[in-house]
Amino acid sequence: MARRNLFQPPPPPDVAKTAVSASEQKARFPNTGAMSGVKSTLKDVASNAVREISVDVIEENGPKDRLTFTDADVVALAESIKGHGQQVPIMVRPIAHKPGHYRIVYGRRRLQALRSLGIPAKALVRSLSDEEAILAQGQENTQRLDPSFIEKALFAAELATSGYEQAIILDALAVDKPMLSRMTKVARSIPKPVIEQIGAAHGIGRRRWEELADQSRNEGVDLEQITAALQLDATKSSDDRFSMISDAITQALKPKAAGKLAPSPTLSIKLSDGTTLAEVKETARALTFKLSKSDAPQFAQWMRNNAEAELTRLYEAWQSEQKPD
């Protein structure tokens, strides 16, 4: 076997192998090159990384998806975080005009608990548009928080008032158009201060909230006045506070219901021989005359032909009687 001189330069590379290697690289990182592909992968990993951020640079403004937390809720969560650490990160997004500051996307209760402990927040940082932030907020709440009907209704109304498109609101709340319409109707019919005093009321479903909204809108009930007269602070349960207001409204409407006139009975007009000539029925909207085609068919036909003239004559006779002497 011939021995190769160790100082002899190595043979040139196989062109075919080089071409295959290049094509494989292009398939793995199309249109970017190998280094760009590596950078893209590192960027994806970094976007999923949890960072520690001072709670002092995180702002909480923006649409709220939950009613206010009780102090007890925040204290209980703070104790849990103190003992076991923050298990679930919050999500924030950078504020473009304030470098180094962030706006909360979701995790407001966790943020309040962390503020009370004076420790940084573990957070996912996302560069999101307003619409993307609302979608992330709504989806996280649906999966983890199980918000009540009235919390969803207030969130939907606030998003609509803020100018978000209906498609964004539907996706954020995972509801259809009829349900969104019902939510918006309830949120706009019941004064917000009343809702805030009641609370989330997880045990109160859509139908009872709709009934309360109808009473406020159709019956002319002053919900704020009724609520102010009740001692709701003494009631711990949000569901109980709702029931107290509902019962108070029912009591307030009783005199009004009792004052309504009972429907007038049907008046039967008969001739001296007992023949039924007509029936007169009165409702809140109309006075109806019903002529019998079976008992007085010829008169019914004559009235049909002369109704305009006879009713005009009767009206003029009535009108002349109204004139003062």
Side-chain angles (χ1 to χ4, degrees), residues 271-285:
L271 301 176
S272 57
D273 61 0
T275 302
T276 300
L277 186 64
E279 289 183 348
V280 183
K281 186 175 182 180
E282 182 180 3
T283 66
R285 293 178 175 268

Side-chain angles (χ1 to χ4, degrees), residues 253-267:
L253 291 176
K254 278 186 177 180
K256 185 176 180 180
K260 291 182 179 179
L261 294 175
S264 301
T266 301
L267 173 64

Side-chain angles (χ1 to χ4, degrees), residues 5 9-10 14 17 22 25 32 61 90 100 133 149-150 152 158 189 193 229-230 249-250 254 264 279 308 311 319-320:
N5 188 339
D14 190 325
K17 289 183 179 180
Q25 276 195 347
T32 60
N61 55 333
I90 65 174
F149 169 80
I150 196 61
K152 289 182 178 180
E158 187 173 358
S189 298
L230 299 173
I249 292 173
T250 300
K254 278 186 177 180
S264 301
E279 289 183 348
E308 183 178 357
L311 287 175
Q319 195 173 41
S320 63

Side-chain angles (χ1 to χ4, degrees), residues 79-325:
E79 287 297 320
S80 175
I81 293 175
K82 186 176 180 180
H84 307 287
Q86 182 188 345
Q87 299 297 314
V88 181
I90 65 174
M91 181 180 285
V92 298
R93 56 178 177 144
I95 300 177
H97 63 279
K98 295 177 69 174
H101 286 71
Y102 304 87
R103 180 168 291 119
I104 188 77
V105 176
Y106 60 70
R108 284 177 168 79
R109 188 164 64 102
R110 276 164 276 168
L111 180 59
Q112 288 191 20
L114 293 166
R115 287 190 195 281
S116 69
L117 295 172
I119 61 177
K122 293 180 180 179
L124 293 166
V125 180
R126 296 285 187 273
S127 296
L128 304 174
S129 66
D130 289 346
E131 291 78 9
E132 290 170 337
I134 289 300
L135 289 174
Q137 184 178 356
Q139 291 168 4
E140 199 262 357
N141 290 337
T142 300
Q143 293 172 5
R144 296 190 63 254
L145 299 178
D146 188 25
S148 67
F149 169 80
I150 196 61
E151 287 181 309
K152 289 182 178 180
L154 283 180
F155 188 37
E158 187 173 358
L159 292 179
T161 302
S162 301
Y164 287 93
E165 295 182 359
Q166 187 183 70
I168 296 294
I169 302 174
L170 292 173
D171 287 344
L173 293 171
V175 297
D176 56 19
K177 289 183 179 179
M179 180 57 71
L180 178 61
S181 176
R182 288 177 169 180
M183 288 178 170
T184 305
K185 183 178 178 181
V186 168
R188 290 177 177 173
S189 298
I190 303 176
K192 190 173 181 180
V194 174
I195 296 175
E196 289 175 340
Q197 288 189 64
I198 292 174
H202 284 89
I204 306 299
R206 170 181 57 82
R207 292 186 182 278
R208 295 186 67 187
W209 280 106
E210 286 180 333
E211 290 173 359
L212 192 66
D214 289 340
Q215 288 173 328
S216 174
R217 185 176 57 255
N218 300 330
E219 300 292 344
V221 175
D222 190 337
L223 288 179
E224 290 188 84
Q225 183 179 2
I226 289 177
T227 302
L230 299 173
Q231 296 181 349
L232 296 180
D233 293 340
T235 306
K236 296 181 180 180
S237 167
S238 179
D239 291 1
D240 288 343
R241 290 195 291 272
F242 180 96
S243 297
M244 287 179 67
I245 294 175
S246 180
D247 292 343
I249 292 173
T250 300
Q251 292 297 322
L253 291 176
K254 278 186 177 180
K256 185 176 180 180
K260 291 182 179 179
L261 294 175
S264 301
T266 301
L267 173 64
S268 181
I269 302 176
K270 294 186 178 182
L271 301 176
S272 57
D273 61 0
T275 302
T276 300
L277 186 64
E279 289 183 348
V280 183
K281 186 175 182 180
E282 182 180 3
T283 66
R285 293 178 175 268
L287 187 67
T288 306
F289 284 80
K290 182 179 178 182
L291 301 179
S292 175
K293 285 188 175 183
S294 58
D295 293 341
Q298 294 178 345
F299 176 72
Q301 184 60 42
W302 179 85
M303 196 64 190
R304 170 68 179 81
N305 296 334
N306 298 277
E308 183 178 357
E310 290 300 314
L311 287 175
T312 302
R313 181 181 62 79
L314 289 171
Y315 179 80
E316 291 174 350
W318 169 81
Q319 195 173 41
S320 63
E321 293 178 359
Q322 308 308 308
K323 294 179 180 179
D325 295 337

Side-chain angles (χ1 to χ4, degrees), residues 59-78:
E59 299 182 5
E60 296 185 61
N61 55 333
K64 295 182 179 179
D65 45 61
R66 299 184 67 184
L67 291 167
T68 54
F69 320 114
T70 65
D71 292 340
D73 289 337
V74 176
V75 169
L77 182 56

